[in-house]
Amino acid sequence: MKTCAILVILIFTALAPRAHAEFMLDVSGSYISENTGSTDVKDDATKYYYNMTGYLRLAKKWWAGWSYLGITMTGSSNATGESVATSFQTSDTGPTIKYFFGKGEVFSMSANFNVIAKGTYKNVVTENTEAWTGTSYMVGFSIMPEIKSRFRMGVGLNYYHAAYSKKTVDGTETSESNTKSWLFPTLSLSKSW
């Protein structure tokens, strides 16, 4: 993880002289409530997502910056035969890039690699709260027309994937691989100066 952080710092240092003085703040979020299930297993869940990213313009259509995102999923599952509360939360941060294209630069694609991903998971089988640490990435496609000068609003579709390598339960840390993936829509706002 330290190697990744050093590599990111070197990349931003190399790109900084080319960066223009323009700054963009991008905020996005999502809320989903669902009730899924079959004859045997029924799951109810409420899912929240939020992200705040600060960008510097690197070129006409390219922006680079740093992102902070959070995901919370709570609900219940009867996978064990009775309804048990379950939850997953994560706070991730890392570098990100964004590319605008199309007429009026209405469309954009973004990608970020979160060098730090810290999650907690309520295991429905053991009923333990587990702390997970690792990395994650997210890619997205957005349609964000300019509403006013330098102000954009739109919707996007994102894919998130986290890979955790360590698990801590009651103070005991073990090496264990866990993953979490989610495909979801977002509402986004951005303002540049």
Side-chain angles (χ1 to χ4, degrees):
M1 187 179 303
K2 289 180 182 178
T3 304
C4 289
I6 291 170
L7 182 61
V8 168
I9 290 169
L10 291 175
I11 290 170
F12 276 108
T13 303
L15 294 175
R18 298 182 182 187
H20 298 244
E22 290 185 67
F23 175 77
M24 180 172 61
L25 179 64
D26 191 283
V27 178
S28 59
S30 185
Y31 168 82
I32 298 173
S33 181
E34 61 185 6
N35 185 326
T36 60
S38 63
T39 307
D40 300 321
V41 178
K42 183 177 180 182
D43 293 298
D44 300 316
T46 301
K47 302 175 181 181
Y48 302 90
Y49 162 82
Y50 60 88
N51 186 357
M52 186 178 339
T53 305
Y55 290 98
L56 288 177
R57 184 190 286 271
L58 295 180
K60 184 177 179 182
K61 298 182 179 185
W62 288 93
W63 297 75
W66 198 266
S67 169
Y68 176 80
L69 69 85
I71 295 173
T72 300
M73 300 180 180
T74 59
S76 61
S77 172
N78 69 350
T80 60
E82 59 183 45
S83 185
V84 179
T86 182
S87 65
F88 167 78
Q89 294 178 307
T90 190
S91 296
D92 303 5
T93 188
T96 184
I97 58 171
K98 186 171 237 183
Y99 175 72
F100 286 94
F101 62 98
K103 187 177 180 180
E105 298 184 357
V106 172
F107 304 104
S108 67
M109 296 188 73
S110 61
N112 64 306
F113 176 71
N114 298 302
V115 293
I116 299 172
K118 294 186 176 182
T120 58
Y121 172 68
K122 174 69 183 301
N123 191 316
V124 296
V125 177
T126 63
E127 296 190 18
N128 288 327
T129 299
E130 304 172 356
W132 295 349
T133 56
T135 60
S136 69
Y137 71 87
M138 190 173 74
V139 292
F141 171 78
S142 298
I143 302 172
M144 295 183 68
E146 193 171 55
I147 305 301
K148 290 185 177 180
S149 178
R150 298 178 171 261
F151 178 75
R152 295 176 180 269
M153 183 171 68
V155 294
L157 183 64
N158 302 274
Y159 176 75
Y160 170 85
H161 179 81
Y164 300 100
S165 57
K166 292 182 181 178
K167 180 177 82 170
T168 304
V169 180
D170 294 331
T172 303
E173 184 179 287
T174 57
S175 295
E176 181 178 316
S177 296
N178 290 296
T179 61
K180 190 71 174 177
S181 299
W182 189 26
L183 180 67
F184 59 98
T186 53
L187 176 64
S188 300
L189 303 170
S190 72
K191 172 68 177 165
S192 58
W193 292 268

